[in-house]
Amino acid sequence: METIITIGREFGSGGREIGEQVADRFGIKCYDKELIARAAKESGFCEEMIETHDERPTNSFMYNLVMDTYSFGYNSSSFVDMPISHKVFLAQFDAIKNLAKEGPCVIVGRCADYALSDYPNVVNLFITGNEKDKIARIRARFADLTSDEKARDMMVKKDKQRRSYYNYYSSKKWGHCDSYDLTINSSILGIEDTVNFIVDFVNKFEASKRG
Protein backbone atom coordinates (compact mmCIF):
# COMPACT_ATOMS: atom_id res chain seq x y z
CA MET A 1 0.00 0.00 0.00
CA GLU A 2 1.53 3.27 -1.15
CA THR A 3 -1.50 5.45 -1.83
CA ILE A 4 -2.58 8.51 0.12
CA ILE A 5 -6.35 8.98 0.04
CA THR A 6 -7.96 12.38 0.51
CA ILE A 7 -11.68 12.70 1.15
CA GLY A 8 -13.76 15.81 0.66
CA ARG A 9 -17.30 15.40 1.93
CA GLU A 10 -20.69 16.99 2.34
CA PHE A 11 -21.87 17.27 5.92
CA GLY A 12 -23.90 14.21 6.82
CA SER A 13 -22.68 12.14 3.87
CA GLY A 14 -20.74 9.75 6.10
CA GLY A 15 -17.41 10.87 4.67
CA ARG A 16 -15.56 10.65 7.98
CA GLU A 17 -16.94 7.20 8.75
CA ILE A 18 -16.12 6.03 5.25
CA GLY A 19 -12.59 7.37 5.59
CA GLU A 20 -12.08 5.56 8.88
CA GLN A 21 -13.34 2.27 7.47
CA VAL A 22 -11.22 2.58 4.31
CA ALA A 23 -8.15 3.24 6.47
CA ASP A 24 -8.98 0.25 8.62
CA ARG A 25 -9.29 -1.99 5.56
CA PHE A 26 -5.84 -0.96 4.35
CA GLY A 27 -4.27 -0.97 7.82
CA ILE A 28 -3.32 2.71 7.64
CA LYS A 29 -4.17 5.78 9.71
CA CYS A 30 -7.09 8.14 9.15
CA TYR A 31 -6.71 11.82 10.01
CA ASP A 32 -9.72 14.05 10.55
CA LYS A 33 -9.87 15.94 13.84
CA GLU A 34 -6.52 14.29 14.65
CA LEU A 35 -4.99 16.70 12.15
CA ILE A 36 -5.76 19.57 14.53
CA ALA A 37 -3.56 18.11 17.27
CA ARG A 38 -0.82 17.38 14.75
CA ALA A 39 -0.88 20.91 13.32
CA ALA A 40 -0.90 22.40 16.82
CA LYS A 41 2.10 20.35 17.90
CA GLU A 42 4.15 21.23 14.84
CA SER A 43 3.24 24.92 14.60
CA GLY A 44 3.07 25.96 18.25
CA PHE A 45 -0.56 27.06 17.93
CA CYS A 46 -2.94 25.96 20.65
CA GLU A 47 -5.46 23.32 19.54
CA GLU A 48 -8.39 25.59 20.40
CA MET A 49 -7.09 28.21 17.98
CA ILE A 50 -6.82 25.77 15.11
CA GLU A 51 -10.21 24.24 15.89
CA THR A 52 -11.82 27.69 15.84
CA HIS A 53 -10.61 28.23 12.28
CA ASP A 54 -10.86 24.62 11.14
CA GLU A 55 -12.36 24.71 7.62
CA ARG A 56 -13.76 28.16 8.40
CA PRO A 57 -12.19 31.14 6.62
CA THR A 58 -12.77 34.37 8.49
CA ASN A 59 -12.96 37.86 7.06
CA SER A 60 -13.07 39.61 10.41
CA PHE A 61 -10.30 42.19 10.21
CA MET A 62 -10.57 43.19 13.86
CA TYR A 63 -10.45 39.63 15.13
CA ASN A 64 -7.40 38.88 13.01
CA LEU A 65 -5.74 42.09 14.14
CA VAL A 66 -6.25 41.28 17.82
CA MET A 67 -5.09 37.68 17.50
CA ASP A 68 -2.00 38.74 15.57
CA THR A 69 -0.67 40.43 18.71
CA TYR A 70 0.24 36.96 19.97
CA SER A 71 3.31 34.98 18.97
CA PHE A 72 2.79 31.61 17.33
CA GLY A 73 6.38 30.53 16.90
CA TYR A 74 6.98 31.83 13.36
CA ASN A 75 9.47 34.63 12.86
CA SER A 76 9.32 35.87 9.28
CA SER A 77 7.85 39.33 8.85
CA SER A 78 5.49 38.19 6.10
CA PHE A 79 4.10 35.52 8.40
CA VAL A 80 3.70 37.94 11.30
CA ASP A 81 1.64 40.26 9.12
CA MET A 82 -0.58 37.44 7.87
CA PRO A 83 -4.18 37.08 9.19
CA ILE A 84 -4.59 34.36 11.80
CA SER A 85 -6.93 32.39 9.53
CA HIS A 86 -4.14 32.16 6.94
CA LYS A 87 -1.65 31.07 9.58
CA VAL A 88 -3.93 28.27 10.69
CA PHE A 89 -4.39 27.15 7.09
CA LEU A 90 -0.62 27.04 6.55
CA ALA A 91 -0.15 25.08 9.79
CA GLN A 92 -2.62 22.45 8.58
CA PHE A 93 -1.14 22.58 5.08
CA ASP A 94 2.32 21.79 6.47
CA ALA A 95 0.95 19.07 8.75
CA ILE A 96 -0.76 17.39 5.78
CA LYS A 97 2.49 17.39 3.80
CA ASN A 98 4.39 15.96 6.75
CA LEU A 99 1.82 13.18 7.17
CA ALA A 100 2.16 12.33 3.47
CA LYS A 101 5.92 12.00 3.88
CA GLU A 102 5.38 9.40 6.60
CA GLY A 103 3.50 7.05 4.30
CA PRO A 104 0.04 6.07 3.09
CA CYS A 105 -2.94 7.37 5.05
CA VAL A 106 -6.45 8.76 4.69
CA ILE A 107 -6.92 12.51 5.22
CA VAL A 108 -10.42 13.92 5.54
CA GLY A 109 -11.18 17.48 4.39
CA ARG A 110 -8.99 20.55 4.93
CA CYS A 111 -7.93 20.97 1.29
CA ALA A 112 -5.71 17.89 1.57
CA ASP A 113 -6.08 17.20 -2.15
CA TYR A 114 -4.77 20.69 -2.90
CA ALA A 115 -1.93 20.41 -0.40
CA LEU A 116 -0.80 17.16 -2.03
CA SER A 117 -1.44 18.16 -5.65
CA ASP A 118 2.21 17.50 -6.57
CA TYR A 119 2.20 13.97 -5.16
CA PRO A 120 1.76 11.18 -7.76
CA ASN A 121 0.49 8.59 -5.27
CA VAL A 122 -2.70 10.38 -4.20
CA VAL A 123 -6.34 9.50 -4.89
CA ASN A 124 -8.77 12.36 -4.30
CA LEU A 125 -12.36 11.45 -3.44
CA PHE A 126 -15.52 13.42 -2.72
CA ILE A 127 -18.48 11.94 -0.84
CA THR A 128 -21.96 13.31 -1.38
CA GLY A 129 -25.37 11.94 -0.41
CA ASN A 130 -29.11 12.39 -0.75
CA GLU A 131 -30.53 15.09 1.49
CA LYS A 132 -32.91 12.73 3.31
CA ASP A 133 -30.10 10.36 4.24
CA LYS A 134 -27.78 13.18 5.29
CA ILE A 135 -30.43 14.72 7.54
CA ALA A 136 -31.12 11.34 9.16
CA ARG A 137 -27.42 10.80 9.81
CA ILE A 138 -27.01 14.30 11.26
CA ARG A 139 -29.97 13.82 13.62
CA ALA A 140 -28.58 10.49 14.77
CA ARG A 141 -25.26 12.15 15.54
CA PHE A 142 -26.62 15.26 17.27
CA ALA A 143 -29.33 14.36 19.79
CA ASP A 144 -30.20 18.01 20.46
CA LEU A 145 -31.48 18.51 16.90
CA THR A 146 -35.20 18.04 17.41
CA SER A 147 -36.38 18.42 13.82
CA ASP A 148 -35.35 17.75 10.25
CA GLU A 149 -35.42 21.49 9.65
CA LYS A 150 -32.78 22.14 12.31
CA ALA A 151 -30.62 19.34 10.93
CA ARG A 152 -30.95 20.76 7.45
CA ASP A 153 -29.97 24.23 8.68
CA MET A 154 -26.83 22.78 10.25
CA MET A 155 -26.07 20.86 7.06
CA VAL A 156 -26.40 23.96 4.88
CA LYS A 157 -24.23 26.01 7.27
CA LYS A 158 -21.47 23.41 7.50
CA ASP A 159 -21.36 22.85 3.76
CA LYS A 160 -21.23 26.60 3.17
CA GLN A 161 -18.24 26.86 5.53
CA ARG A 162 -16.45 23.99 3.84
CA ARG A 163 -17.17 25.35 0.37
CA SER A 164 -15.95 28.83 1.28
CA TYR A 165 -12.79 27.45 2.88
CA TYR A 166 -11.94 25.16 -0.03
CA ASN A 167 -12.73 27.69 -2.75
CA TYR A 168 -10.79 30.42 -0.95
CA TYR A 169 -7.59 28.48 -0.31
CA SER A 170 -7.43 26.12 -3.29
CA SER A 171 -7.46 26.71 -7.03
CA LYS A 172 -10.44 24.36 -7.47
CA LYS A 173 -14.15 24.27 -6.68
CA TRP A 174 -15.52 22.32 -3.71
CA GLY A 175 -17.77 19.46 -4.76
CA HIS A 176 -17.19 19.90 -8.51
CA CYS A 177 -16.47 16.55 -10.16
CA ASP A 178 -13.43 17.88 -12.03
CA SER A 179 -11.77 18.70 -8.71
CA TYR A 180 -11.55 15.02 -7.74
CA ASP A 181 -10.62 11.62 -9.14
CA LEU A 182 -13.87 10.05 -7.97
CA THR A 183 -17.15 11.46 -6.64
CA ILE A 184 -19.49 9.02 -4.88
CA ASN A 185 -23.06 9.33 -3.63
CA SER A 186 -23.00 7.27 -0.42
CA SER A 187 -26.80 6.97 -0.52
CA ILE A 188 -26.62 4.73 -3.58
CA LEU A 189 -24.59 1.89 -2.11
CA GLY A 190 -24.70 2.68 1.61
CA ILE A 191 -21.65 3.14 3.82
CA GLU A 192 -20.33 -0.44 3.74
CA ASP A 193 -20.52 -0.93 -0.02
CA THR A 194 -19.20 2.58 -0.65
CA VAL A 195 -16.15 1.54 1.37
CA ASN A 196 -15.88 -1.65 -0.70
CA PHE A 197 -16.12 0.39 -3.89
CA ILE A 198 -13.35 2.77 -2.77
CA VAL A 199 -11.08 -0.07 -1.68
CA ASP A 200 -11.48 -1.70 -5.10
CA PHE A 201 -10.83 1.62 -6.85
CA VAL A 202 -7.65 2.25 -4.83
CA ASN A 203 -6.41 -1.30 -5.43
CA LYS A 204 -6.82 -0.79 -9.17
CA PHE A 205 -5.09 2.60 -8.90
CA GLU A 206 -2.13 0.96 -7.20
CA ALA A 207 -2.03 -1.79 -9.80
CA SER A 208 -1.95 0.80 -12.60
CA LYS A 209 0.99 2.56 -10.92
CA ARG A 210 2.92 -0.70 -10.76
CA GLY A 211 2.35 -1.16 -14.48
Side-chain angles (χ1 to χ4, degrees), residues 143 185 201:
N185 184 334
F201 183 86

Side-chain angles (χ1 to χ4, degrees), residues 9 13 24 43 59 85 99-100 103 108-109 118 121 129 139 145 147 194:
R9 73 284 185 228
S13 67
D24 186 62
S43 67
N59 294 317
S85 54
L99 289 172
V108 179
D118 293 333
N121 60 322
R139 290 196 64 181
L145 295 176
S147 69
T194 296

Side-chain angles (χ1 to χ4, degrees), residues 139-188:
R139 290 196 64 181
R141 180 180 173 187
F142 298 95
D144 58 328
L145 295 176
T146 56
S147 69
D148 286 357
E149 183 178 356
K150 290 183 177 180
R152 186 182 185 282
D153 288 345
M154 176 181 282
M155 178 184 72
V156 170
K157 179 181 178 181
K158 291 289 188 179
D159 281 349
K160 183 178 180 180
Q161 289 173 345
R162 290 173 179 177
R163 182 181 297 106
S164 296
Y165 181 87
Y166 186 92
N167 292 353
Y168 184 84
Y169 285 113
S170 84
S171 59
K172 302 186 292 183
K173 295 295 183 182
W174 184 83
H176 286 209
C177 62
D178 58 356
S179 295
Y180 309 92
D181 299 313
L182 181 66
T183 299
I184 308 168
N185 184 334
S186 60
S187 294
I188 303 299

Side-chain angles (χ1 to χ4, degrees), residues 3-173:
T3 304
I4 299 163
I5 303 163
T6 74
I7 298 181
R9 73 284 185 228
E10 292 179 345
F11 191 67
S13 67
R16 176 181 55 82
E17 182 182 355
I18 289 168
E20 290 172 347
Q21 291 190 28
V22 168
D24 186 62
R25 290 279 294 274
F26 283 116
I28 58 179
K29 292 183 177 179
C30 179
Y31 297 95
D32 182 10
K33 292 296 185 181
E34 298 84 356
L35 186 61
I36 294 175
R38 179 67 176 252
K41 180 180 179 181
E42 294 180 358
S43 67
F45 287 22
C46 65
E47 288 190 31
E48 292 79 4
M49 177 63 64
I50 294 179
E51 190 165 9
T52 296
H53 290 275
D54 187 37
E55 294 190 294
R56 293 179 186 139
T58 177
N59 294 317
S60 172
F61 174 77
M62 186 57 67
Y63 179 77
N64 285 322
L65 187 65
V66 170
M67 294 314 301
D68 280 344
T69 62
Y70 295 90
S71 172
F72 297 97
Y74 292 81
N75 297 317
S76 70
S77 59
S78 61
F79 189 85
V80 169
D81 293 336
M82 192 180 293
I84 183 59
S85 54
H86 290 24
K87 294 177 183 179
V88 168
F89 169 77
L90 289 177
Q92 292 188 319
F93 194 89
D94 289 342
I96 289 168
K97 285 183 171 290
N98 289 336
L99 289 172
K101 292 175 183 177
E102 295 175 4
C105 59
V106 176
I107 305 175
V108 179
R110 297 160 186 87
C111 295
D113 57 316
Y114 179 67
L116 303 178
S117 58
D118 293 333
Y119 287 62
N121 60 322
V122 178
V123 167
N124 301 311
L125 312 176
F126 188 84
I127 310 298
T128 183
N130 296 345
E131 182 171 296
K132 180 181 177 181
D133 296 324
K134 290 188 293 183
I135 288 175
R137 192 172 286 114
I138 292 167
R139 290 196 64 181
R141 180 180 173 187
F142 298 95
D144 58 328
L145 295 176
T146 56
S147 69
D148 286 357
E149 183 178 356
K150 290 183 177 180
R152 186 182 185 282
D153 288 345
M154 176 181 282
M155 178 184 72
V156 170
K157 179 181 178 181
K158 291 289 188 179
D159 281 349
K160 183 178 180 180
Q161 289 173 345
R162 290 173 179 177
R163 182 181 297 106
S164 296
Y165 181 87
Y166 186 92
N167 292 353
Y168 184 84
Y169 285 113
S170 84
S171 59
K172 302 186 292 183
K173 295 295 183 182

